[in-house]
Amino acid sequence: MTLTPAARRDWLRLARTENVGPVAFAQLIARYGEASLALAALPDLARRGGRVSPLGVPPVEDVMRELEAGQALGARLIASCEADFPAALAAVDPPPPLLWTRGDAALLNRSSIAVVGARVASAGGQRFARGLAAELGAAGHVVVSGMARGIDGAAHEGALSTGTVAVLGGGIDDIYPHEHHVLYQRIIAEGCVVSENAPGRTATARDFPRRNRVISGLSRAVVVVEAELRSGSLITARLAAEQGREVLAVPGSPLDPRARGTNDLIRQGAALCEGAEDVLRALEGIGGLREPDRPYAPPPVADAEVDAVRERIAALLSPTPVSRDEVVRAAGAPTPVVLAALTELALAGRAELLPGGLVASLG
């Protein structure tokens, strides 16, 4: 489907609402069918969940300014319900509600492989990433990375002539690091840049796990070239495994801290990568990524049913994330009722709905 201008505005407005992450967004669309109806229901849902202050729903004027800023950059906004939304990312449960894109958005629907790694990378690691990306591109794959220093930048450079996608943590125009200005311009001209965030926004620390989820979600496999034991690249690898993607790691010397993360990935079961042939071999057994069936008709949930279990469900939560399936079992209530209650608690700021089917208390 293709959204009308009014529906696109409402979709964006719902996505930018306080406490509405990808999980809550998907639940609201499932319950109400369209963004405009969900927006109308938000104040009452938040109040029912226990919120006292007004929910932060952005004014229409703010959303229009974001759309105009994107248009001024020549960027395009694609909603997750639209046919042009990347099929691989649509298969993630739940997908991000929307993506801003600059460049050739058709690359987002080609077979893609992520190549990520350390920012402070060795010269050998950068050479390997650049060569690997070039070989994967020659084999017909788009190379996805995060345009960071080190391995990311080298991977983009290696794949410029065959197709590369840069996923940014900030807005679609947030060039970081600044020395990648020329690389950014080349990717716009020859590849594609994408972001979940509004144009003009500078990335903060909390944006990078979301960016990493998009990197892995766009890709059939993730290759980690260099990474220390506590690094964003390992977060990308973990997200890839949760999303059912293939994870590969390049082995390195145990004397190099940048090899500890990749060697540990191999120890945990990641495939060993010594070249493009290892990646291509790993992909042979992977089928296509199909978007899961998602109900867009509102499930039959009565307010009285939700009222009867909401506080009981809130009492079951703790700061430690737990599976939503476990909450359903413990509550002894129908799944749609529990999901509706969790959404209301999330809107009230009392719960956090996390990707991967997890939920946690916020206090």
Side-chain angles (χ1 to χ4, degrees):
M1 64 180 293
T2 300
L3 294 176
T4 65
R8 186 178 305 277
R9 178 201 64 202
D10 291 339
W11 194 274
L12 176 58
R13 193 174 175 218
L14 180 62
R16 298 291 185 238
T17 295
E18 179 186 9
N19 295 338
V20 177
V23 180
F25 187 97
Q27 295 295 338
L28 288 166
I29 293 297
R31 186 171 177 181
Y32 293 98
E34 53 186 79
S36 60
L37 296 178
L39 284 166
L42 283 179
D44 185 56
L45 293 176
R47 179 190 58 77
R48 287 158 51 83
R51 188 181 181 95
V52 177
S53 59
L55 186 65
V57 181
V60 173
E61 294 77 12
D62 288 359
V63 169
M64 293 306 298
R65 277 194 288 270
E66 178 175 342
L67 290 169
E68 290 165 2
Q71 185 176 17
L73 289 168
R76 179 185 173 199
L77 181 69
I78 308 176
S80 58
C81 64
E82 295 186 294
D84 289 344
F85 193 80
L89 195 56
V92 173
D93 188 19
L98 50 84
L99 285 179
W100 278 106
T101 72
R102 289 187 78 181
D104 183 5
L107 291 174
L108 302 176
N109 274 305
R110 283 178 49 191
S111 174
S112 299
I113 298 167
V115 178
V116 298
R119 286 175 167 81
V120 185
S122 69
Q126 292 182 61
R127 183 178 68 251
F128 182 90
R130 193 176 296 110
L132 177 67
E135 291 182 42
L136 293 173
H141 300 280
V142 172
V143 172
V144 180
S145 199
M147 214 181 78
R149 291 185 180 95
I151 298 301
D152 288 21
H156 288 306
E157 290 170 359
L160 274 170
S161 63
T162 54
T164 189
V165 172
V167 185
L168 306 187
I172 197 75
D173 53 347
D174 181 34
I175 304 173
Y176 184 83
H178 300 301
E179 61 261 32
H180 278 176
H181 177 79
V182 173
L183 176 62
Y184 173 88
Q185 296 298 333
R186 290 195 64 190
I187 295 174
I188 289 175
E190 303 176 56
C192 187
V193 176
V194 304
S195 172
E196 285 188 74
N197 282 322
R201 174 168 167 169
T202 300
T204 62
R206 63 190 298 268
D207 292 312
F208 289 103
R210 295 172 58 222
R211 178 205 66 167
N212 295 344
R213 186 170 182 264
V214 174
I215 290 174
S216 58
L218 285 169
S219 309
R220 298 178 64 199
V222 171
V223 183
V224 184
V225 178
E226 290 182 339
E228 297 197 19
L229 281 174
R230 298 173 66 89
S231 70
S233 299
L234 297 191
I235 294 175
T236 306
R238 175 179 58 79
L239 292 168
E242 292 175 356
Q243 293 165 349
R245 275 53 172 170
E246 188 72 20
V247 178
L248 301 97
V250 178
S253 167
L255 301 178
D256 188 345
R258 290 168 295 204
R260 289 178 185 164
T262 52
N263 290 348
D264 191 56
L265 283 175
I266 295 169
R267 190 177 300 115
Q268 294 179 41
L272 184 145
C273 176
E274 293 181 317
E277 63 277 5
D278 291 322
V279 184
L280 300 177
R281 190 181 306 115
L283 291 179
E284 288 176 359
I286 300 177
L289 298 170
R290 187 180 67 85
E291 181 179 357
D293 296 328
R294 295 190 179 91
Y296 280 91
V301 176
D303 290 346
E305 293 180 280
V306 181
D307 291 340
V309 299
R310 186 187 306 105
E311 294 308 315
R312 186 162 84 246
I313 289 170
L316 292 170
L317 304 180
S318 76
T320 302
V322 65
S323 164
R324 293 197 295 271
D325 291 339
E326 289 294 332
V327 177
V328 170
R329 278 192 287 269
T335 299
V337 174
V338 174
L339 295 180
L342 288 173
T343 301
E344 292 178 8
L345 292 169
L347 291 172
R350 299 172 63 193
E352 184 177 13
L353 303 181
L354 302 166
L358 301 176
V359 60
S361 169
L362 287 177

